[in-house]
Coordinates of all heavy atoms in Angstrom, one line a residue:
M1 N 10.4 -6.5 -15.5 CA 10.8 -6.5 -14.1 C 11.7 -7.9 -14.0 O 11.2 -8.9 -14.5 CB 9.6 -6.6 -13.2 CG 9.8 -6.8 -11.8 SD 8.4 -6.9 -10.7 CE 7.3 -5.8 -11.3
D2 N 12.8 -7.7 -13.4 CA 13.6 -8.9 -13.2 C 13.1 -9.9 -12.3 O 12.3 -9.4 -11.4 CB 15.1 -8.5 -12.8 CG 15.1 -8.0 -11.5 OD1 14.9 -6.7 -11.2 OD2 15.5 -8.8 -10.6
P3 N 13.4 -11.1 -12.5 CA 12.7 -12.2 -11.6 C 12.9 -12.0 -10.1 O 11.9 -12.3 -9.4 CB 13.4 -13.5 -12.1 CG 13.8 -13.2 -13.6 CD 14.2 -11.8 -13.5
A4 N 14.1 -11.6 -9.7 CA 14.4 -11.4 -8.2 C 13.4 -10.4 -7.6 O 12.8 -10.5 -6.6 CB 15.8 -11.1 -8.0
T5 N 13.3 -9.2 -8.4 CA 12.4 -8.1 -7.9 C 10.9 -8.6 -7.9 O 10.1 -8.3 -7.0 CB 12.5 -6.9 -8.8 OG1 13.9 -6.6 -8.7 CG2 11.7 -5.8 -8.3
A6 N 10.5 -9.3 -9.0 CA 9.2 -9.8 -9.1 C 8.8 -10.7 -7.9 O 7.8 -10.6 -7.3 CB 9.0 -10.5 -10.4
R7 N 9.8 -11.7 -7.6 CA 9.5 -12.7 -6.5 C 9.4 -11.9 -5.2 O 8.6 -12.2 -4.4 CB 10.7 -13.7 -6.5 CG 10.5 -14.6 -5.4 CD 11.5 -15.8 -5.5 NE 11.6 -16.4 -6.7 CZ 10.7 -17.3 -7.2 NH1 9.6 -17.7 -6.5 NH2 10.9 -17.9 -8.4
M8 N 10.3 -10.9 -5.0 CA 10.3 -10.2 -3.7 C 8.9 -9.4 -3.6 O 8.4 -9.5 -2.5 CB 11.4 -9.1 -3.7 CG 11.5 -8.4 -2.4 SD 12.8 -7.2 -2.5 CE 12.3 -6.0 -3.6
R9 N 8.4 -8.7 -4.7 CA 7.2 -8.0 -4.6 C 6.0 -8.9 -4.4 O 5.2 -8.7 -3.7 CB 7.1 -7.2 -5.9 CG 8.1 -6.0 -5.9 CD 7.8 -5.0 -6.9 NE 6.6 -4.4 -6.6 CZ 5.7 -3.8 -7.6 NH1 6.3 -3.8 -8.8 NH2 4.5 -3.3 -7.4
L10 N 6.1 -10.1 -5.1 CA 5.0 -11.0 -5.0 C 4.9 -11.7 -3.6 O 3.9 -11.8 -3.0 CB 5.1 -12.1 -6.1 CG 4.8 -11.6 -7.5 CD1 5.3 -12.6 -8.5 CD2 3.2 -11.4 -7.6
Q11 N 6.0 -11.9 -3.1 CA 6.0 -12.5 -1.8 C 5.7 -11.6 -0.6 O 4.9 -11.9 0.3 CB 7.5 -13.1 -1.4 CG 7.6 -13.8 -0.1 CD 6.6 -15.1 -0.2 OE1 6.7 -16.0 -1.0 NE2 5.8 -15.3 0.8
S12 N 6.0 -10.3 -0.9 CA 5.6 -9.3 0.0 C 4.1 -9.1 -0.1 O 3.4 -9.0 1.0 CB 6.3 -7.9 -0.3 OG 5.8 -6.9 0.5
L13 N 3.5 -9.0 -1.2 CA 2.1 -9.0 -1.4 C 1.4 -10.2 -0.7 O 0.4 -10.0 -0.1 CB 1.8 -8.8 -2.9 CG 0.5 -8.5 -3.3 CD1 -0.1 -7.3 -2.7 CD2 0.3 -8.4 -4.9
L14 N 1.9 -11.4 -1.0 CA 1.4 -12.5 -0.4 C 1.4 -12.5 1.1 O 0.3 -12.8 1.8 CB 2.0 -13.8 -0.8 CG 1.6 -15.1 -0.4 CD1 0.1 -15.4 -0.9 CD2 2.5 -16.2 -0.8
D15 N 2.4 -12.0 1.7 CA 2.5 -11.9 3.2 C 1.5 -10.8 3.7 O 0.8 -11.1 4.8 CB 4.0 -11.4 3.6 CG 5.0 -12.5 3.4 OD1 4.6 -13.7 3.1 OD2 6.2 -12.2 3.4
E16 N 1.3 -9.7 3.0 CA 0.4 -8.7 3.3 C -1.0 -9.3 3.3 O -1.9 -9.0 4.1 CB 0.6 -7.5 2.5 CG -0.3 -6.3 2.8 CD -0.1 -5.2 1.8 OE1 1.0 -4.9 1.4 OE2 -1.1 -4.6 1.5
L17 N -1.4 -10.0 2.3 CA -2.7 -10.6 2.0 C -3.0 -11.6 3.2 O -4.1 -11.6 3.7 CB -2.8 -11.2 0.7 CG -3.0 -10.3 -0.4 CD1 -2.8 -11.0 -1.8 CD2 -4.4 -9.6 -0.4
D18 N -1.9 -12.5 3.5 CA -2.2 -13.4 4.6 C -2.4 -12.7 6.0 O -3.4 -13.2 6.7 CB -0.9 -14.3 4.7 CG -0.8 -15.4 3.6 OD1 -1.9 -15.6 2.9 OD2 0.2 -15.9 3.4
R19 N -1.7 -11.6 6.2 CA -2.0 -10.8 7.4 C -3.4 -10.3 7.5 O -4.1 -10.3 8.4 CB -0.9 -9.7 7.7 CG 0.4 -10.2 8.2 CD 1.3 -9.1 8.5 NE 1.5 -8.1 7.4 CZ 2.6 -8.3 6.6 NH1 3.4 -9.4 6.7 NH2 2.8 -7.5 5.6
S20 N -3.8 -9.7 6.4 CA -5.1 -9.1 6.2 C -6.2 -10.1 6.4 O -7.2 -9.9 7.1 CB -5.2 -8.4 4.8 OG -4.4 -7.2 4.8
I21 N -6.1 -11.2 5.8 CA -7.0 -12.3 5.9 C -7.2 -12.8 7.3 O -8.3 -13.0 7.8 CB -6.8 -13.4 4.9 CG1 -7.0 -12.9 3.5 CG2 -7.6 -14.7 5.1 CD1 -6.6 -13.8 2.3
G22 N -6.1 -13.0 7.9 CA -6.0 -13.4 9.3 C -6.7 -12.5 10.2 O -7.5 -12.8 11.1
A23 N -6.4 -11.1 10.0 CA -7.1 -10.0 10.9 C -8.6 -10.1 10.6 O -9.4 -10.0 11.5 CB -6.4 -8.8 10.6
L24 N -9.0 -10.3 9.3 CA -10.4 -10.2 9.1 C -11.2 -11.4 9.6 O -12.3 -11.3 10.0 CB -10.6 -10.1 7.5 CG -10.3 -8.7 6.9 CD1 -10.2 -8.8 5.4 CD2 -11.3 -7.8 7.3
Q25 N -10.5 -12.5 9.6 CA -11.1 -13.8 10.2 C -11.4 -13.6 11.7 O -12.2 -14.3 12.2 CB -10.2 -15.0 9.9 CG -10.3 -15.3 8.5 CD -9.3 -16.4 8.0 OE1 -8.2 -16.6 8.7 NE2 -9.6 -17.1 7.1
E26 N -10.7 -12.6 12.3 CA -10.9 -12.4 13.7 C -11.9 -11.2 14.0 O -12.0 -10.7 15.1 CB -9.6 -12.1 14.5 CG -8.7 -13.4 14.4 CD -7.3 -13.1 14.9 OE1 -7.1 -12.0 15.4 OE2 -6.5 -13.9 14.8
A27 N -12.6 -10.8 12.9 CA -13.5 -9.6 13.0 C -14.7 -9.8 13.9 O -15.0 -10.9 14.2 CB -14.0 -9.3 11.6
D28 N -15.1 -8.8 14.4 CA -16.4 -8.7 15.3 C -17.4 -9.4 14.6 O -17.7 -9.1 13.4 CB -16.7 -7.2 15.5 CG -17.9 -7.0 16.5 OD1 -18.7 -8.0 16.5 OD2 -17.9 -6.0 17.1
P29 N -18.1 -10.3 15.3 CA -19.3 -11.1 14.7 C -20.3 -10.0 14.0 O -21.0 -10.6 13.1 CB -19.8 -11.8 15.8 CG -18.7 -12.0 16.8 CD -17.9 -10.8 16.6
L30 N -20.5 -8.9 14.5 CA -21.4 -8.0 14.0 C -21.1 -7.7 12.6 O -21.9 -7.2 11.8 CB -21.7 -6.7 14.9 CG -22.2 -7.1 16.2 CD1 -22.2 -5.8 17.1 CD2 -23.6 -7.6 16.2
D31 N -19.9 -7.7 12.3 CA -19.3 -7.2 10.9 C -18.9 -8.5 10.1 O -18.3 -8.3 9.1 CB -18.0 -6.3 11.0 CG -18.3 -5.0 11.6 OD1 -19.5 -4.5 11.5 OD2 -17.5 -4.4 12.3
A32 N -19.3 -9.6 10.5 CA -19.0 -10.9 9.9 C -19.2 -10.9 8.3 O -18.5 -11.4 7.5 CB -19.6 -12.1 10.6
D33 N -20.5 -10.4 8.0 CA -20.8 -10.5 6.5 C -19.9 -9.7 5.8 O -19.5 -10.1 4.6 CB -22.3 -10.1 6.3 CG -23.3 -11.1 6.8 OD1 -22.9 -12.3 6.9 OD2 -24.4 -10.7 7.0
R34 N -19.7 -8.4 6.1 CA -18.8 -7.5 5.4 C -17.4 -8.1 5.5 O -16.7 -8.1 4.4 CB -18.8 -6.1 6.0 CG -18.2 -5.1 5.2 CD -18.7 -3.7 5.5 NE -17.7 -3.1 6.4 CZ -18.0 -2.2 7.2 NH1 -19.1 -1.6 7.2 NH2 -17.0 -1.7 8.0
A35 N -16.9 -8.6 6.6 CA -15.6 -9.1 6.6 C -15.5 -10.3 5.7 O -14.4 -10.5 5.0 CB -15.3 -9.5 8.1
Q36 N -16.4 -11.1 5.6 CA -16.4 -12.3 4.7 C -16.3 -11.9 3.3 O -15.6 -12.5 2.5 CB -17.5 -13.2 4.9 CG -17.5 -14.5 4.1 CD -16.2 -15.3 4.5 OE1 -15.9 -15.6 5.7 NE2 -15.5 -15.7 3.5
A37 N -17.0 -10.8 2.9 CA -16.9 -10.3 1.4 C -15.6 -9.9 1.2 O -14.9 -10.1 0.1 CB -17.9 -9.1 1.3
V38 N -14.9 -9.1 2.1 CA -13.5 -8.6 2.0 C -12.5 -9.9 1.9 O -11.6 -9.8 1.1 CB -13.2 -7.6 3.0 CG1 -11.7 -7.3 2.9 CG2 -14.0 -6.5 2.9
I39 N -12.8 -10.9 2.7 CA -12.0 -12.1 2.8 C -12.0 -12.7 1.4 O -11.0 -13.2 0.9 CB -12.4 -13.0 3.9 CG1 -12.0 -12.4 5.3 CG2 -11.7 -14.4 3.8 CD1 -12.5 -13.2 6.5
D40 N -13.2 -12.7 0.9 CA -13.4 -13.5 -0.4 C -12.5 -12.8 -1.5 O -11.9 -13.5 -2.3 CB -14.8 -13.5 -0.8 CG -15.6 -14.4 0.0 OD1 -15.1 -15.3 0.8 OD2 -17.0 -14.3 0.0
V41 N -12.6 -11.4 -1.6 CA -11.8 -10.8 -2.5 C -10.3 -10.9 -2.3 O -9.5 -11.2 -3.2 CB -12.2 -9.2 -2.6 CG1 -11.3 -8.3 -3.4 CG2 -13.7 -9.0 -3.0
A42 N -10.0 -10.8 -1.0 CA -8.5 -11.0 -0.7 C -8.0 -12.3 -1.1 O -6.9 -12.6 -1.5 CB -8.2 -10.6 0.7
S43 N -8.9 -13.4 -0.9 CA -8.5 -14.8 -1.1 C -8.4 -14.9 -2.6 O -7.4 -15.6 -3.1 CB -9.6 -15.8 -0.6 OG -9.6 -15.7 0.8
Q44 N -9.2 -14.3 -3.4 CA -9.0 -14.4 -4.9 C -7.7 -13.7 -5.3 O -6.9 -14.2 -6.1 CB -10.2 -13.7 -5.6 CG -11.4 -14.5 -5.5 CD -11.3 -15.8 -6.2 OE1 -10.9 -16.0 -7.3 NE2 -11.8 -16.9 -5.5
H45 N -7.4 -12.5 -4.7 CA -6.2 -11.9 -5.0 C -5.0 -12.7 -4.6 O -4.0 -12.8 -5.2 CB -6.1 -10.5 -4.2 CG -5.1 -9.5 -4.7 ND1 -4.8 -8.4 -4.1 CD2 -4.1 -9.7 -5.6 CE1 -3.8 -7.8 -4.6 NE2 -3.4 -8.5 -5.6
R46 N -5.1 -13.4 -3.4 CA -4.1 -14.3 -3.0 C -3.8 -15.4 -4.0 O -2.6 -15.7 -4.3 CB -4.5 -14.9 -1.6 CG -3.4 -15.8 -1.0 CD -3.8 -16.2 0.4 NE -2.7 -16.9 1.1 CZ -2.2 -18.1 0.8 NH1 -2.8 -18.8 -0.1 NH2 -1.3 -18.6 1.5
L47 N -4.8 -15.9 -4.6 CA -4.7 -17.0 -5.6 C -4.0 -16.5 -6.8 O -3.2 -17.2 -7.5 CB -6.0 -17.6 -6.0 CG -6.7 -18.4 -4.9 CD1 -8.1 -18.9 -5.4 CD2 -5.8 -19.7 -4.7
A48 N -4.3 -15.3 -7.2 CA -3.5 -14.7 -8.3 C -2.1 -14.4 -8.1 O -1.3 -14.6 -8.9 CB -4.3 -13.3 -8.7
V49 N -1.7 -14.1 -6.8 CA -0.4 -14.0 -6.5 C 0.3 -15.3 -6.5 O 1.5 -15.5 -7.0 CB -0.2 -13.2 -5.1 CG1 1.2 -13.3 -4.6 CG2 -0.8 -11.9 -5.1
L50 N -0.3 -16.4 -6.0 CA 0.3 -17.6 -6.0 C 0.4 -18.2 -7.4 O 1.5 -18.8 -7.7 CB -0.6 -18.7 -5.2 CG -0.6 -18.5 -3.7 CD1 -1.6 -19.4 -3.1 CD2 0.8 -18.8 -3.1
D51 N -0.4 -17.9 -8.3 CA -0.3 -18.2 -9.7 C 0.8 -17.5 -10.3 O 1.6 -18.1 -11.2 CB -1.6 -17.9 -10.5 CG -2.8 -18.9 -10.2 OD1 -2.5 -20.0 -9.7 OD2 -3.9 -18.5 -10.5
A52 N 1.0 -16.2 -9.9 CA 2.1 -15.5 -10.5 C 3.5 -16.1 -10.1 O 4.4 -16.2 -10.8 CB 2.0 -14.0 -10.1
L53 N 3.5 -16.5 -8.9 CA 4.8 -17.1 -8.3 C 5.1 -18.4 -9.0 O 6.2 -18.7 -9.4 CB 4.7 -17.3 -6.7 CG 4.8 -16.1 -6.0 CD1 4.4 -16.3 -4.5 CD2 6.2 -15.7 -6.0
R54 N 4.0 -19.2 -9.4 CA 4.2 -20.4 -10.2 C 4.7 -20.1 -11.6 O 5.5 -20.8 -12.1 CB 2.8 -21.2 -10.2 CG 2.6 -22.1 -9.0 CD 1.4 -23.1 -9.3 NE 0.2 -22.4 -9.1 CZ -0.5 -22.2 -7.9 NH1 0.1 -22.5 -6.9 NH2 -1.6 -21.7 -7.9
R55 N 4.1 -19.1 -12.2 CA 4.6 -18.6 -13.5 C 6.0 -18.2 -13.5 O 6.8 -18.5 -14.4 CB 3.6 -17.5 -14.1 CG 2.3 -18.0 -14.5 CD 1.5 -17.0 -15.4 NE 1.6 -15.7 -14.8 CZ 0.6 -15.2 -13.8 NH1 -0.2 -16.1 -13.4 NH2 0.6 -14.0 -13.3
L56 N 6.4 -17.5 -12.4 CA 7.8 -17.1 -12.2 C 8.7 -18.4 -12.2 O 9.8 -18.4 -12.9 CB 7.9 -16.3 -10.9 CG 9.2 -15.5 -10.7 CD1 9.5 -14.5 -11.8 CD2 9.1 -14.8 -9.4
D57 N 8.3 -19.4 -11.4 CA 9.1 -20.6 -11.3 C 9.1 -21.3 -12.6 O 10.1 -22.0 -12.9 CB 8.5 -21.6 -10.2 CG 8.6 -20.9 -8.8 OD1 9.5 -20.1 -8.6 OD2 7.9 -21.4 -7.9
D58 N 7.9 -21.3 -13.3 CA 8.0 -22.2 -14.7 C 8.4 -21.3 -15.8 O 8.6 -21.9 -17.0 CB 6.4 -22.4 -14.9 CG 5.9 -23.4 -13.9 OD1 6.5 -24.0 -13.2 OD2 4.5 -23.4 -13.9
G59 N 8.9 -20.1 -15.7 CA 9.5 -19.3 -16.7 C 8.4 -18.6 -17.5 O 8.8 -18.0 -18.6
G60 N 7.1 -18.6 -17.2 CA 6.1 -17.9 -17.9 C 5.7 -16.6 -17.5 O 4.8 -15.9 -18.0
Y61 N 6.3 -16.1 -16.4 CA 6.0 -14.8 -15.8 C 6.3 -13.7 -16.8 O 7.4 -13.8 -17.4 CB 6.8 -14.6 -14.4 CG 6.5 -13.3 -13.8 CD1 5.3 -13.2 -13.1 CD2 7.3 -12.2 -13.9 CE1 4.9 -12.0 -12.4 CE2 6.9 -10.9 -13.3 CZ 5.8 -10.9 -12.6 OH 5.4 -9.7 -12.0
G62 N 5.4 -12.8 -17.0 CA 5.6 -11.6 -17.8 C 5.0 -12.0 -19.2 O 5.0 -11.1 -20.1
R63 N 4.4 -13.1 -19.5 CA 3.8 -13.5 -20.7 C 2.4 -13.6 -20.4 O 1.9 -14.2 -19.4 CB 4.3 -14.9 -21.2 CG 5.7 -14.8 -21.6 CD 5.7 -15.0 -23.1 NE 7.1 -14.7 -23.7 CZ 7.3 -14.0 -24.7 NH1 6.3 -13.3 -25.3 NH2 8.5 -13.7 -25.2
C64 N 1.5 -13.1 -21.3 CA 0.1 -13.2 -21.2 C -0.4 -14.7 -21.2 O 0.0 -15.5 -22.1 CB -0.6 -12.4 -22.3 SG -2.4 -12.6 -22.3
V65 N -1.2 -15.2 -20.4 CA -1.6 -16.6 -20.2 C -2.7 -16.8 -21.4 O -2.9 -18.0 -21.7 CB -2.3 -16.9 -18.9 CG1 -1.2 -16.8 -17.8 CG2 -3.5 -16.1 -18.6
D66 N -3.2 -15.8 -22.0 CA -4.2 -16.0 -23.1 C -3.5 -15.9 -24.4 O -3.6 -16.9 -25.2 CB -5.3 -14.9 -23.1 CG -6.2 -15.1 -21.8 OD1 -6.2 -16.2 -21.2 OD2 -6.9 -14.2 -21.6
C67 N -2.8 -14.9 -24.8 CA -2.2 -14.7 -26.2 C -0.7 -15.1 -26.2 O -0.1 -15.3 -27.3 CB -2.4 -13.4 -26.7 SG -1.5 -12.1 -25.9
G68 N -0.1 -15.2 -25.1 CA 1.4 -15.5 -25.1 C 2.3 -14.4 -25.4 O 3.5 -14.5 -25.2
G69 N 1.7 -13.2 -25.5 CA 2.5 -11.9 -25.7 C 3.0 -11.5 -24.4 O 2.7 -12.0 -23.3
L70 N 3.9 -10.5 -24.5 CA 4.5 -9.8 -23.3 C 3.5 -9.0 -22.6 O 2.7 -8.2 -23.2 CB 5.7 -9.1 -23.6 CG 7.0 -9.8 -24.2 CD1 8.0 -8.8 -24.6 CD2 7.4 -10.8 -23.1
V71 N 3.5 -9.1 -21.2 CA 2.7 -8.2 -20.4 C 3.7 -6.9 -20.2 O 4.7 -7.2 -19.9 CB 2.4 -8.9 -19.0 CG1 1.7 -7.9 -18.2 CG2 1.6 -10.1 -19.2
P72 N 3.1 -5.8 -20.5 CA 3.9 -4.6 -20.5 C 4.5 -4.5 -19.1 O 3.9 -4.7 -18.0 CB 2.9 -3.4 -20.7 CG 1.8 -4.1 -21.5 CD 1.7 -5.5 -21.0
E73 N 5.7 -4.0 -19.1 CA 6.5 -3.8 -17.8 C 5.8 -2.8 -16.9 O 5.7 -3.1 -15.7 CB 7.9 -3.1 -18.2 CG 8.9 -3.0 -17.1 CD 9.4 -4.4 -16.6 OE1 9.4 -5.3 -17.5 OE2 9.9 -4.5 -15.5
D74 N 5.1 -1.8 -17.4 CA 4.5 -0.9 -16.4 C 3.2 -1.6 -15.8 O 2.9 -1.3 -14.7 CB 4.1 0.5 -17.2 CG 3.2 0.3 -18.3 OD1 3.2 -0.8 -18.9 OD2 2.6 1.3 -18.8
R75 N 2.6 -2.4 -16.5 CA 1.5 -3.2 -16.0 C 2.0 -4.1 -14.8 O 1.4 -4.3 -13.7 CB 0.8 -4.0 -17.0 CG -0.4 -4.9 -16.5 CD -1.3 -5.3 -17.6 NE -2.2 -6.3 -17.2 CZ -3.3 -6.1 -16.5 NH1 -3.5 -4.9 -15.9 NH2 -4.1 -7.0 -16.1
L76 N 3.2 -4.8 -15.0 CA 3.7 -5.6 -14.0 C 4.2 -4.7 -12.8 O 4.2 -5.2 -11.7 CB 4.9 -6.4 -14.6 CG 4.5 -7.6 -15.5 CD1 5.7 -8.2 -16.2 CD2 3.6 -8.5 -14.9
E77 N 4.6 -3.6 -13.1 CA 5.1 -2.7 -11.9 C 3.8 -2.3 -11.2 O 3.9 -2.4 -9.9 CB 5.7 -1.4 -12.5 CG 7.1 -1.6 -13.1 CD 8.1 -1.9 -12.0 OE1 7.9 -1.4 -10.8 OE2 9.1 -2.5 -12.3
A78 N 2.6 -2.1 -11.7 CA 1.5 -1.7 -11.0 C 0.8 -2.9 -10.4 O 0.3 -2.8 -9.3 CB 0.5 -1.0 -12.1
R79 N 0.8 -4.0 -11.1 CA 0.2 -5.2 -10.7 C 1.0 -6.5 -10.9 O 0.9 -7.1 -11.9 CB -1.2 -5.5 -11.4 CG -2.2 -4.3 -11.0 CD -3.6 -4.8 -11.4 NE -3.9 -6.0 -10.8 CZ -4.9 -6.1 -10.0 NH1 -5.7 -5.2 -9.6 NH2 -5.2 -7.3 -9.5
P80 N 2.0 -6.7 -10.0 CA 3.0 -7.8 -10.3 C 2.3 -9.2 -10.5 O 2.9 -10.1 -11.0 CB 3.8 -7.8 -9.0 CG 3.2 -7.0 -8.1 CD 2.2 -6.0 -8.7
E81 N 1.1 -9.3 -10.1 CA 0.4 -10.6 -10.2 C -0.3 -10.7 -11.6 O -1.0 -11.7 -11.8 CB -0.6 -10.9 -9.1 CG -1.9 -10.1 -9.1 CD -1.7 -8.6 -8.7 OE1 -0.5 -8.1 -8.4 OE2 -2.7 -7.9 -8.5
A82 N -0.3 -9.7 -12.4 CA -1.1 -9.6 -13.7 C -0.7 -10.9 -14.5 O 0.5 -11.1 -14.8 CB -0.7 -8.3 -14.4
A83 N -1.7 -11.5 -15.0 CA -1.5 -12.7 -15.8 C -1.8 -12.4 -17.3 O -1.5 -13.3 -18.2 CB -2.5 -13.7 -15.3
R84 N -2.3 -11.3 -17.6 CA -2.6 -11.0 -19.0 C -2.2 -9.6 -19.4 O -2.1 -8.7 -18.6 CB -4.2 -11.1 -19.1 CG -4.9 -12.4 -19.0 CD -6.3 -12.4 -19.0 NE -6.8 -13.8 -18.8 CZ -6.9 -14.4 -17.7 NH1 -6.5 -13.8 -16.5 NH2 -7.2 -15.7 -17.5
C85 N -2.0 -9.5 -20.7 CA -1.7 -8.2 -21.3 C -3.0 -7.4 -21.2 O -4.0 -7.9 -21.0 CB -1.2 -8.3 -22.7 SG -2.5 -8.9 -23.9
V86 N -2.8 -6.1 -21.4 CA -3.9 -5.1 -21.2 C -5.1 -5.5 -22.2 O -6.2 -5.5 -21.8 CB -3.5 -3.7 -21.5 CG1 -4.6 -2.7 -21.4 CG2 -2.5 -3.3 -20.4
Q87 N -4.8 -5.8 -23.4 CA -5.8 -6.2 -24.4 C -6.5 -7.4 -24.0 O -7.9 -7.4 -24.1 CB -5.2 -6.4 -25.8 CG -6.2 -6.5 -26.9 CD -5.5 -6.5 -28.3 OE1 -4.3 -6.7 -28.4 NE2 -6.3 -6.3 -29.3
C88 N -6.0 -8.5 -23.6 CA -6.7 -9.7 -23.3 C -7.4 -9.5 -21.9 O -8.5 -10.1 -21.9 CB -5.6 -10.9 -23.1 SG -5.0 -11.4 -24.7
Q89 N -6.9 -8.7 -21.0 CA -7.6 -8.4 -19.8 C -8.9 -7.6 -20.1 O -9.9 -7.9 -19.5 CB -6.8 -7.7 -18.8 CG -7.4 -7.5 -17.4 CD -7.6 -8.7 -16.7 OE1 -6.9 -9.7 -16.7 NE2 -8.8 -8.8 -16.0
S90 N -8.8 -6.7 -21.0 CA -9.9 -5.9 -21.3 C -11.0 -6.8 -22.0 O -12.2 -6.6 -21.6 CB -9.5 -4.8 -22.3 OG -8.7 -3.8 -21.6
R91 N -10.6 -7.7 -22.8 CA -11.6 -8.5 -23.5 C -12.2 -9.4 -22.4 O -13.5 -9.6 -22.4 CB -10.9 -9.4 -24.4 CG -10.9 -9.0 -25.9 CD -10.5 -10.0 -26.9 NE -9.3 -10.6 -26.7 CZ -8.0 -10.2 -27.3 NH1 -8.2 -9.2 -28.2 NH2 -6.9 -10.7 -27.0
R92 N -11.4 -9.9 -21.4 CA -12.0 -10.8 -20.4 C -13.0 -10.1 -19.5 O -14.1 -10.6 -19.2 CB -10.8 -11.3 -19.5 CG -11.3 -12.2 -18.4 CD -10.0 -12.7 -17.7 NE -10.3 -13.4 -16.4 CZ -10.5 -14.6 -16.3 NH1 -10.2 -15.4 -17.3 NH2 -10.7 -15.2 -15.2
E93 N -12.7 -8.8 -19.2 CA -13.6 -7.9 -18.4 C -15.0 -7.6 -19.0 O -16.0 -7.6 -18.5 CB -13.0 -6.7 -17.9 CG -11.8 -7.0 -16.8 CD -11.0 -5.9 -16.5 OE1 -11.3 -4.7 -16.9 OE2 -10.1 -6.1 -15.7
R94 N -14.8 -7.5 -20.4 CA -16.1 -7.1 -21.2 C -17.0 -8.3 -21.2 O -18.2 -8.2 -21.3 CB -15.6 -6.7 -22.6 CG -15.2 -5.3 -22.8 CD -15.2 -4.8 -24.1 NE -14.3 -5.6 -25.1 CZ -13.1 -5.3 -25.3 NH1 -12.4 -4.3 -24.6 NH2 -12.3 -6.2 -26.1
R95 N -16.4 -9.6 -21.2 CA -17.3 -10.7 -21.3 C -18.0 -11.0 -20.0 O -18.9 -11.8 -19.9 CB -16.4 -12.0 -21.6 CG -16.1 -12.1 -23.0 CD -15.3 -13.3 -23.4 NE -13.9 -13.0 -23.1 CZ -12.9 -13.9 -23.0 NH1 -13.2 -15.1 -23.3 NH2 -11.7 -13.5 -22.8
R96 N -17.6 -10.4 -18.9 CA -18.2 -10.6 -17.5 C -19.5 -9.9 -17.5 O -20.1 -9.2 -17.8 CB -17.3 -10.2 -16.5 CG -16.1 -11.1 -16.3 CD -15.3 -10.6 -15.1 NE -14.2 -11.4 -14.9 CZ -13.3 -11.2 -14.0 NH1 -13.4 -10.4 -13.2 NH2 -12.2 -12.0 -14.0

């Protein structure tokens, strides 16, 4: 994915997450626990997007943060914030 497209997609995703988090923070107090759980997940996703934007600025976007190999183009298309290649991400998830 070219840097301009990546930046546009990441910024759009960040804007969407910010809107969602804002709306959830105004949730009905009766749904506060559930809203907070969703806010927590969205906030983690937001951090991943911010990290991807930093990698884009630093020239490391599209490289796995673990092994340094290329993150497959189709993975970046599906998840523009992806920080790891499929193999390293799989290893990370198995350790959890």
Side-chain angles (χ1 to χ4, degrees):
M1 178 180 320
D2 70 274
T5 300
R7 183 173 304 283
M8 182 182 68
R9 291 194 58 207
L10 289 164
Q11 190 59 55
S12 176
L13 188 54
L14 184 62
D15 293 344
E16 183 180 321
L17 286 164
D18 286 343
R19 279 191 300 274
S20 296
I21 291 169
L24 286 165
Q25 288 172 333
E26 297 171 6
D28 184 332
L30 296 174
D31 293 330
D33 288 340
R34 194 161 93 202
Q36 188 58 52
V38 176
I39 288 170
D40 291 346
V41 170
S43 295
Q44 289 299 315
H45 193 183
R46 186 179 189 282
L47 289 175
V49 171
L50 290 172
D51 285 343
L53 285 166
R54 274 192 281 282
R55 288 192 309 278
L56 192 59
D57 291 340
D58 296 343
Y61 183 79
R63 292 248 171 228
C64 178
V65 297
D66 290 345
C67 72
L70 292 176
V71 176
E73 189 74 22
D74 58 341
R75 179 160 171 73
L76 292 174
E77 286 291 330
R79 296 194 56 117
E81 74 281 6
R84 291 173 180 80
C85 65
V86 175
Q87 189 175 14
C88 288
Q89 184 64 38
S90 294
R91 268 195 300 263
R92 181 180 171 95
E93 289 174 3
R94 279 193 304 268
R95 282 184 276 174
R96 288 185 184 178

